[in-house]
Amino acid sequence: MATVSLNTVGKTYGEGVQAVTNFDLKIRDEEFVVLVGPSGCGKSTTLRMVAGLEEITSGDLLIDEKRVNDLAPAERDIAMVFQNYALYPHMTVEDNISFGLKQQRMPKSEIKTRVADAARILGLEPLLARKPRALSGGQRQRVAMGRAIVRHPKVFLFDEPLSNLDAKLRVQMRAEIKHLHQKIPTTTIYVTHDQIEAMTMADRVVVMSNGKIEQVGPPQELYNHPDTLFVASFIGSPAMNLFPVTVDRGDGGLQARLENGTVVTLPADRQATYGAAVGKKMLLGLRPEAIGEAGAYGYGDLTTEIDYLEPLGAETLVFFPVGEVNACAKMPAGFTGHHGDKVTFSLDLSRMHLIDPETEKVLKPGR
């Protein structure tokens, strides 16, 4: 078991291309941390620097408080699970799992014990004699995980391990990886572009954009209290609605005027925080579940027309225009309507976020 510390770690490629900049993060022993962000944000590069597959240009990487910048991958006591499984096609499941241990010249009895334990944990016991071509995608991924488990590493690294699986299997494998971490609580760094994977699996999520950390925190903290426009728009599905507004003072306190002319009163407990926005063009962020039926909340109603519906069984997504914004509301399953129908929604502004489009920062007390 080990801590992992990245101290202002950076990666620059030829011609000054900065892939990762000033990456600062301390991962606790046995913690499950997920790096998430869009393609090209630097998350896989960061993971490969931890693994020793990419040279660190600047900063220090410590595993178990020991600087490992110059150590080869084999000397870092880490195990990595890749997107493409990287199994040997001519070997059986048992031989694939045990290959690394045999290379270390570990006693046969110890190898047998470790392989048996991994196979039991991952449900691979009936498959040990098969070759990879006779396995499903999920089974191959479990074999790749088994090969990592038997090494008893200090740190597990996962590089988008579920990207090649279908939607149903991804859900199943998410649960299996989480259960695996509960059984073998090894320090884990997991990379994905899928924010649902990040939210459901992580102890802490690291949101990255353009080679930098945007925000770090528990999944629910990022969801409820984003620091930046990027985090607010990236975390959550469907995405947060972002309404351009103008903030002014009215008889009842601060008000926000939407592009379609609707005026709503901002929460009384946020007047001091939002006072700096008076007279400015801002973005009012509101998640689809914070939009309800007319009169449900006391901040003002919004009248618009239905664009289209997406019935999802347990709920219905309602899409509607507000100025240039194609907004979304999460409504109960029984909600009905058609394109062009007039509808009135109520906005729960107790759950709103006011964002400065110039700084891309969410306005918070003291900011």
Side-chain angles (χ1 to χ4, degrees):
M1 306 302 175
T3 59
V4 177
S5 298
L6 296 98
N7 300 331
T8 60
V9 166
K11 177 64 181 179
T12 304
Y13 291 104
E15 300 180 358
V17 177
Q18 195 80 27
V20 178
T21 305
N22 293 332
F23 192 100
D24 257 316
L25 181 69
K26 181 161 186 178
I27 300 170
R28 298 183 291 268
D29 185 26
E30 300 185 359
E31 189 176 22
F32 195 119
V33 167
V34 176
L35 309 185
V36 67
S39 296
C41 72
K43 57 189 183 297
S44 288
T45 300
T46 302
L47 191 77
R48 290 172 66 82
M49 285 192 287
V50 175
L53 302 176
E54 289 280 2
E55 183 180 351
I56 296 173
T57 307
S58 60
D60 294 313
L61 170 66
L62 285 73
I63 297 179
D64 227 4
E65 305 301 330
K66 177 183 177 182
R67 187 177 184 275
V68 299
N69 288 44
D70 302 319
L71 292 185
E75 299 174 310
R76 299 189 182 195
D77 200 4
I78 54 94
M80 191 162 181
V81 179
F82 296 92
Q83 176 181 346
N84 63 358
Y85 321 134
L87 302 179
Y88 296 106
H90 63 288
M91 292 184 183
T92 64
V93 167
E94 183 173 8
D95 289 338
N96 265 283
I97 293 174
S98 63
F99 181 78
L101 304 182
K102 290 176 180 176
Q103 295 296 106
Q104 297 174 18
R105 301 187 182 280
M106 186 173 288
K108 289 183 179 180
S109 59
E110 177 67 12
I111 292 175
K112 185 174 181 180
T113 299
R114 290 196 184 192
V115 171
D117 288 345
R120 175 178 47 79
I121 290 170
L122 295 168
L124 294 172
E125 291 168 303
L127 309 176
L128 289 175
R130 292 190 190 179
K131 300 227 177 128
R133 64 176 176 271
L135 304 177
S136 68
Q139 289 168 337
R140 292 178 192 177
Q141 191 57 273
R142 289 205 299 270
V143 175
M145 290 162 57
R147 187 174 51 196
I149 289 170
V150 294
R151 293 184 51 197
H152 295 179
K154 288 182 178 178
V155 183
F156 280 138
L157 306 178
F158 289 87
D159 189 10
E160 306 224 27
L162 309 185
S163 295
N164 292 337
L165 305 180
D166 62 47
K168 182 178 179 180
L169 198 49
R170 280 202 303 272
V171 173
Q172 179 185 330
M173 289 301 297
R174 282 205 310 259
E176 290 193 15
I177 292 174
K178 193 64 178 175
H179 288 152
L180 173 63
H181 186 254
Q182 290 168 350
K183 292 177 183 177
I184 310 172
T186 304
T187 306
T188 300
I189 308 174
Y190 185 107
V191 161
T192 181
H193 64 273
D194 186 337
Q195 53 98 7
I196 294 178
E197 278 183 34
M199 295 289 287
T200 55
M201 300 175 73
D203 296 324
R204 280 192 301 160
V205 177
V206 180
V207 182
M208 294 185 65
S209 174
N210 296 320
K212 298 179 181 178
I213 294 176
E214 288 277 338
Q215 189 173 351
V216 181
Q220 210 59 38
E221 179 182 310
L222 299 188
Y223 188 82
N224 292 326
H225 306 290
D227 284 344
T228 66
L229 173 60
F230 180 83
V231 176
S233 58
F234 186 81
I235 297 294
S237 181
M240 180 184 290
N241 298 300
L242 296 167
F243 302 111
V245 297
T246 302
V247 178
D248 288 306
R249 297 192 186 278
D251 294 338
L254 295 185
Q255 298 177 329
R257 180 180 296 274
L258 281 69
E259 284 184 314
N260 69 347
T262 298
V263 176
V264 292
T265 301
L266 301 184
D269 62 352
R270 305 200 190 180
Q271 299 284 317
T273 299
Y274 293 163
V278 171
K280 293 183 178 180
K281 299 287 187 180
M282 305 293 286
L283 293 174
L284 191 159
L286 202 62
R287 297 203 180 276
E289 58 268 30
I291 300 177
E293 297 180 1
Y297 310 112
Y299 303 100
D301 289 345
L302 166 67
T303 299
T304 181
E305 294 182 350
I306 294 174
D307 190 3
Y308 62 96
L309 306 181
E310 287 187 358
L312 300 178
E315 60 196 12
T316 297
L317 300 183
V318 184
F319 293 86
F320 54 94
V322 178
E324 298 297 317
V325 176
N326 183 32
C328 175
K330 241 181 218 184
M331 302 300 288
F335 185 92
T336 58
H338 301 88
H339 174 74
D341 287 354
K342 186 164 284 190
V343 62
T344 299
F345 293 115
S346 185
L347 310 180
D348 183 2
L349 298 187
S350 68
R351 292 189 274 175
M352 68 169 279
H353 305 279
L354 199 61
I355 305 166
D356 186 331
E358 292 186 4
T359 64
E360 298 192 352
K361 299 290 187 182
V362 177
L363 267 61
K364 294 184 177 182
R367 176 181 286 182

